[in-house]
Amino acid sequence: MRRVHTRIREALAITRDAVRDGAPGAQATRDLLLYCHGFCTALDGHHQGEDRALFPAVEAAHPHLAPVLRALKQDHSMIGHLLQGLRDAVDRAAPPAELDRHLEGIAAIMESHFRYEERQLLVVLEGLELRAEVIDVFGPL
């Protein structure tokens, strides 16, 4: 989990750099679309895998964590909403300052979410037996 979170943080940093450093013109727009959509897909896929495969397994083995898992799923929904706002802004070629505001909001919620998730679940995950593939649990990274 921590390794996946690190890779998503790196993807966010690359995306933010692309927004800040992008030169005007069609190439910059294409690059930004690639970075933003790639980042959004990676983060969405990660959260979908957790919701679909990881969290049910955690809850089955540790029912007392149900409130934690509900809170994490709510975060996933909120982050999904923020990602859609970013996608919409990218699709309409919003100015870099607006894109950076979207990314800043996502970064703040995502970081808080990752830290909480790691504090609550890392120890549990060490002893959890999953019968699913890693990609199905943590997304396409």
Side-chain angles (χ1 to χ4, degrees):
M1 175 181 281
R2 190 172 277 147
R3 198 169 41 232
V4 172
H5 288 174
T6 297
R7 292 193 66 191
I8 292 173
R9 286 178 178 114
E10 291 167 354
L12 176 61
I14 290 168
T15 303
R16 293 190 82 186
D17 288 346
V19 168
R20 290 186 189 123
D21 298 339
Q27 184 61 45
T29 301
R30 281 193 298 274
D31 289 349
L32 183 57
L33 284 168
L34 174 67
Y35 291 132
C36 286
H37 287 303
F39 165 72
C40 291
T41 299
L43 188 55
D44 267 345
H46 172 63
H47 288 162
Q48 288 172 17
E50 286 181 334
D51 289 348
R52 186 177 48 248
L54 180 63
F55 292 173
V58 170
E59 188 168 2
H62 303 276
H64 66 282
L65 289 174
V68 168
L69 299 171
R70 275 194 303 278
L72 292 169
K73 286 180 183 180
Q74 288 174 339
D75 284 357
H76 291 174
S77 178
M78 180 180 9
I79 291 169
H81 178 75
L82 294 172
L83 289 172
Q84 188 57 54
L86 173 62
R87 285 185 189 106
D88 293 344
V90 169
D91 289 344
R92 65 179 163 72
E98 181 181 340
L99 295 172
D100 194 52
R101 282 193 302 274
H102 283 281
L103 291 167
E104 180 65 29
I106 292 167
I109 300 299
M110 185 186 83
E111 191 58 41
S112 172
H113 170 79
F114 283 176
R115 287 181 183 166
Y116 178 71
E117 189 173 57
E118 289 171 5
R119 277 193 318 270
Q120 297 297 318
L121 298 183
L122 278 179
V123 172
V124 169
L125 294 180
E126 290 174 4
L128 187 69
E129 281 200 39
L130 288 171
R131 299 190 193 286
E133 295 292 323
V134 172
I135 193 169
D136 295 331
V137 175
F138 291 115
L141 287 178

